[in-house]
Amino acid sequence: LSANSETSFFIEGLYADKDMSLRITRAKFEEIASDLFVRAAAQIDNVLSRAGLTLDDIHEIELVGGGMRVPKIQEVLKEKLGGRELGMHINSDESMALGAAFHGANVSTAFRVRHVGMTDVNPFPIGVELADLPKTEEARGKLASLFGLGKKAVVEEEKEKASEDEEWTKKATVFKSFGKLGVKKTIAFTHDTDVHCAVRYDEDDLLPIGTEHTIANYEISGIETFAKEMDEKQLGKPKVTMQFELSGSGICTLLRAEAAVEEMVEVEEEQIDEDAMAVAEEEQKVQLEKEAAEKKANETEAEGEAAVPVEEAATPEVPSEEETNPDTPTEEETVLKEPTDEAAAAEPKEGEETADKDAKQDKEAKKSDKDKKKPTKKKEEPKPPVLPKIYKTVLVEKKKVHKRALDIHSYYTGALRPMTAALADESRAKLANLNVADDERKKTEGAKNDLEAYIYFVRNKLADDAEHIDPV
């Protein structure tokens, strides 16, 4: 009817081996399925409200699924979306199958593929309800039937008996609606008795009518014993932590439960004695200053001994010319001799002697300038020796945590529940019996086939050999 305004359909053997043949128009089909079209449009409001968005936040619309080909569906959705253009560019049937295959590859642990950007969510909120665990075996439902029938009545009766005591209960939502799958959450509370924990779906409009809310029940024991031990040590109530997991398949389970109590204890600890270290450093500083002063005094005394005083220095007597060189003739006796050519050549001229002196002076001046330009290295002062650490033993308050893993016993009520070991054995036995019956059936059918084949063989043999058999 998506392409034609009228069509006919035929159902063979609908009832009592009678066939059904009917002709229907598109208008009649839309009239019959009118409530379904209204539900399809209402989902848009639910999705937008859950996501916290409005139509103005939506940029493009793409339809997937086999229903997108129905003209009435397109009309209702377009009207609900304010006349926006509906995108139908993807093969509606293949897209769903391909998306399921990619998601299966993402969550598979058997093989690895490139991750496809897809986030799976849990549409229904899951919470926990905590209450004190009844102390009697009967109240805890140990003697209830296999499917947990009558357990609620027993618990209610136990509550009525203990109505005089204050009833302790807690309730919290652990996994919110449309939260990601494959996450873990932890709840914590202070308590001193054993606890009963019920994991159940919270009330929600999206939850189908008639859905059983309870998912699983847990009995957490060991809290009361641990609390008594801590009370003997004059410590407070235990802090109980429970960790839940929402697996990639959307199954919520209690992974572990633990009780802990914190205690402040004094322990001996080696610490650096700051006061003793400060005194040692001060003593070392005084000692170093004393040694430096002594060293300086010794150096000054040594320099004083090496220097000669001015008053005690004697002026040396300069001998006269005559006493120094008596053989040297006096000025009057000096005979002026003409210098020979060789002597004249050996003696430097006055101008040359002056030039050599100037060059020598320039060289010495440059050398002194170079020496001045050279950076003078500072004399490094010797570093004081590192003092060894001085420790002292002190009492320090530290936090000590007493932990205890709690015992968890799970049981299930209602129609849907995990398979128990006994039920699994029973199912395996049924499958084994079915396999035996199948083998017997196959053997019987094979024997019948062999017999029928032999009958046909004998019949044909008699027909073929009739001319020889008739005379007999």
Side-chain angles (χ1 to χ4, degrees):
L1 291 175
S2 297
N4 304 299
S5 59
E6 186 178 355
T7 188
S8 59
F9 63 92
F10 176 79
I11 302 175
E12 184 178 357
L14 177 64
Y15 177 72
D17 292 333
K18 292 183 179 179
D19 302 334
M20 178 183 177
S21 178
L22 186 67
R23 194 158 188 85
I24 188 171
T25 61
R26 184 188 294 176
K28 183 64 176 176
F29 171 74
E30 291 176 355
E31 180 186 347
I32 295 172
S34 59
D35 59 327
L36 299 178
F37 297 135
V38 173
R39 284 172 57 186
Q43 294 303 317
I44 296 175
D45 295 331
N46 292 336
V47 170
L48 290 175
S49 62
R50 296 278 180 175
L53 301 174
T54 63
L55 280 176
D56 296 333
D57 300 321
I58 308 301
H59 301 94
E60 295 289 337
I61 299 166
E62 191 69 31
L63 299 183
V64 294
M68 63 175 282
R69 292 188 291 268
V70 179
K72 187 65 175 179
I73 288 286
Q74 297 176 13
E75 178 186 340
V76 170
L77 292 180
K78 195 167 185 177
E79 180 182 352
K80 189 69 177 177
L81 295 169
R84 294 195 179 197
E85 188 67 29
L86 302 179
M88 293 180 286
H89 309 94
I90 302 174
N91 187 306
S92 57
D93 299 315
E94 287 183 5
S95 63
M96 303 299 290
L98 191 61
F102 277 125
H103 180 63
N106 283 347
V107 300
S108 174
T109 56
F111 56 90
R112 262 189 173 182
V113 295
R114 183 178 177 182
H115 186 79
V116 179
M118 184 183 300
T119 302
D120 200 3
V121 298
N122 175 42
F124 312 119
I126 299 176
V128 295
E129 292 182 3
L130 304 174
D132 286 331
L133 184 66
K135 300 183 185 303
T136 62
E137 294 287 331
E138 184 181 1
R140 282 153 61 178
K142 297 296 184 181
L143 303 179
S145 62
L146 178 64
F147 296 100
L149 301 177
K151 178 176 178 63
K152 184 175 180 181
V154 174
V155 174
E156 290 295 333
E157 183 181 352
E158 179 68 19
K159 286 182 179 179
E160 289 178 4
K161 291 178 182 179
S163 58
E164 297 178 1
D165 300 332
E166 185 180 356
E167 186 179 351
W168 176 88
T169 57
K170 279 187 180 294
K171 186 176 181 181
T173 300
V174 181
F175 301 101
K176 295 182 179 180
S177 59
F178 290 94
K180 292 182 180 180
L181 297 182
V183 296
K184 296 177 182 179
K185 294 284 184 69
T186 302
I187 63 172
F189 55 93
T190 302
H191 202 51
D192 57 356
T193 59
D194 296 340
V195 173
H196 175 272
C197 174
V199 180
R200 50 187 291 116
Y201 289 114
D202 289 343
E203 293 292 341
D204 193 85
D205 296 337
L206 288 180
L207 202 65
I209 299 173
T211 301
E212 189 172 343
H213 285 207
T214 302
I215 300 173
N217 295 280
Y218 297 95
E219 294 175 353
I220 297 94
S221 58
I223 303 174
E224 190 168 353
T225 306
F226 182 65
K228 288 179 180 178
E229 293 177 7
M230 296 298 104
D231 187 53
E232 291 174 0
K233 297 179 181 180
Q234 296 182 349
L235 300 176
K237 291 183 179 180
K239 181 180 180 181
V240 182
T241 57
M242 302 167 65
Q243 187 180 54
F244 296 88
E245 180 187 26
L246 185 63
S247 68
S249 301
I251 299 173
C252 181
T253 53
L254 174 60
L255 293 182
R256 64 182 183 87
E258 187 179 72
V261 173
E262 294 181 354
E263 179 186 6
M264 299 304 295
V265 295
E266 290 186 343
V267 295
E268 291 185 353
E269 189 177 275
E270 294 287 334
Q271 291 185 355
I272 297 175
D273 194 341
E274 300 291 347
D275 297 334
M277 288 295 295
V279 172
E281 287 175 1
E282 187 66 28
E283 290 177 354
Q284 184 189 47
K285 185 178 179 182
V286 172
Q287 183 65 24
L288 291 174
E289 289 176 353
K290 184 178 178 182
E291 290 176 0
E294 290 178 358
K295 186 177 179 182
K296 189 174 182 182
N298 292 337
E299 288 176 356
T300 305
E301 186 179 347
E303 288 176 2
E305 290 176 358
V308 181
V310 180
E311 292 84 0
E312 297 177 2
T315 305
E317 293 182 359
V318 181
S320 62
E321 253 182 67
E322 294 178 0
E323 292 176 355
T324 305
N325 193 1
D327 296 335
T328 305
T330 59
E331 188 180 346
E332 293 177 357
E333 296 176 355
T334 303
V335 180
L336 294 174
K337 295 181 180 180
E338 292 293 330
T340 60
D341 295 337
E342 293 177 2
E347 289 179 4
K349 295 180 182 179
E350 187 179 349
E352 291 176 359
E353 187 178 351
T354 306
D356 291 341
K357 284 182 180 179
D358 293 341
K360 192 175 181 180
Q361 288 175 358
D362 292 342
K363 193 174 181 181
E364 289 176 356
K366 285 180 181 178
K367 190 176 180 181
S368 63
D369 291 342
K370 267 187 183 179
D371 293 340
K372 287 178 182 177
K373 288 180 182 178
K374 283 183 182 179
T376 56
K377 292 184 180 179
K378 292 183 179 179
K379 189 176 181 181
E380 294 182 358
E381 296 181 359
K383 293 182 180 179
V386 179
L387 290 173
K389 300 290 184 185
I390 303 174
Y391 293 92
K392 63 178 178 180
T393 303
V394 295
L395 291 175
V396 180
E397 277 196 348
K398 284 198 172 182
K399 187 186 291 183
K400 182 181 179 182
V401 181
H402 302 271
K403 289 185 179 181
R404 177 75 55 84
L406 304 175
D407 298 326
I408 301 173
H409 170 70
S410 60
Y411 67 92
Y412 301 86
T413 58
L416 297 176
R417 64 183 66 200
M419 185 175 287
T420 62
L423 193 57
D425 293 339
E426 184 182 349
S427 299
R428 291 191 189 97
K430 286 181 180 179
L431 291 174
N433 293 334
L434 290 174
N435 290 334
V436 171
D438 286 342
D439 292 339
E440 292 294 333
R441 180 180 55 79
K442 289 177 182 178
K443 289 179 181 179
T444 303
E445 289 178 354
K448 288 181 178 180
N449 288 335
D450 293 342
L451 177 61
E452 187 176 4
Y454 182 73
I455 291 172
Y456 279 114
F457 171 74
V458 172
R459 185 182 296 173
N460 292 335
K461 186 70 172 174
L462 292 174
D464 293 341
D465 298 339
E467 55 183 18
H468 301 291
I469 296 174
D470 288 341
V472 176

